[in-house]
Amino acid sequence: MDDMKNPIETWSLDREIVLAKLLNHPRDKVFAAWTNPEALAKWYGPEGLDIETKEADIREGGVWRFDMVGTFEGKPQRFENHVRFLEIIPNERIVMDYGTPDPNDPERFRMTVTFDEQSDGKTVVTLRQLHPTRERRLAVIGFGAVEYGLQTLDGLAVWLDG
């Protein structure tokens, strides 16, 4: 019954969004882009939004608090974000809880990022979002989570290439 109290602790396909991208860089370089606050602020997020970092303590148990700021859906917007790092295995995996600054945010989700280096030195980065309910997953897909997540991965590719 504990699993029912905290649904992001148990995997379920009907609550998951998976995005992947092949990057032309070794995984240590790709991983470093996820753990360097200055780098994150340059490439992270959907097109048209900038990152304003308020706090960045990228380690297990640490937090990254930031706002996504810019013109979104035709008007100036500011979105508060709060990430807590649960697990960081260098060059392999980052697991985090992702939501708003509200510690009881009912829409908080679990995000796992994996880094799979290929035999040719390229890296497949995979983002897995596990949402608390099937309905929340459908809502964020409707909001554009897949498109915006792919834009984020494209931004990472451009930053790494530059």
Side-chain angles (χ1 to χ4, degrees):
M1 287 297 150
D2 288 338
D3 291 342
M4 298 306 288
K5 293 178 186 172
N6 191 355
I8 63 173
E9 295 293 334
T10 57
W11 178 83
S12 176
L13 183 60
D14 68 344
R15 294 185 291 115
E16 185 178 49
I17 297 172
V18 180
L19 307 171
K21 185 162 185 77
L22 177 64
L23 300 167
N24 295 320
H25 298 276
R27 78 174 168 179
D28 61 334
K29 184 176 179 182
V30 178
F31 181 84
W34 282 86
T35 57
N36 178 321
E38 291 79 24
L40 278 167
K42 291 180 178 156
W43 66 262
Y44 194 83
E47 294 172 10
L49 294 176
D50 295 320
I51 300 298
E52 292 180 2
T53 297
K54 297 176 178 180
E55 176 183 4
D57 181 12
I58 302 176
R59 62 176 176 83
E60 286 185 13
V63 298
W64 179 32
R65 291 185 315 112
F66 64 97
D67 290 350
M68 289 185 186
V69 181
T71 301
F72 185 75
E73 297 183 346
K75 59 184 177 179
Q77 302 269 1
R78 177 175 294 272
F79 302 99
E80 289 185 298
N81 290 265
H82 186 275
V83 173
R84 177 163 306 283
F85 296 95
L86 304 175
E87 180 182 42
I88 299 177
I89 300 174
N91 302 323
E92 289 184 25
R93 178 174 57 244
I94 301 172
V95 180
M96 59 196 99
D97 277 349
Y98 199 118
T100 67
D102 177 358
N104 299 311
D105 180 357
E107 298 172 353
R108 182 172 304 282
F109 62 91
R110 177 77 36 93
M111 186 160 80
T112 301
V113 184
T114 56
F115 307 86
D116 181 18
E117 190 165 55
Q118 307 298 291
S119 61
D120 60 2
K122 296 177 182 182
T123 301
V124 174
V125 63
T126 304
L127 303 180
R128 290 187 138 76
Q129 296 179 5
L130 185 61
H131 292 273
T133 65
R134 176 182 181 277
E135 293 74 23
R136 182 63 188 157
R137 174 188 177 263
L138 292 173
V140 299
I141 288 172
F143 178 74
V146 172
E147 179 182 348
Y148 300 138
L150 292 173
Q151 288 176 9
T152 296
L153 291 176
D154 289 344
L156 172 59
V158 168
W159 185 84
L160 288 166
D161 291 345

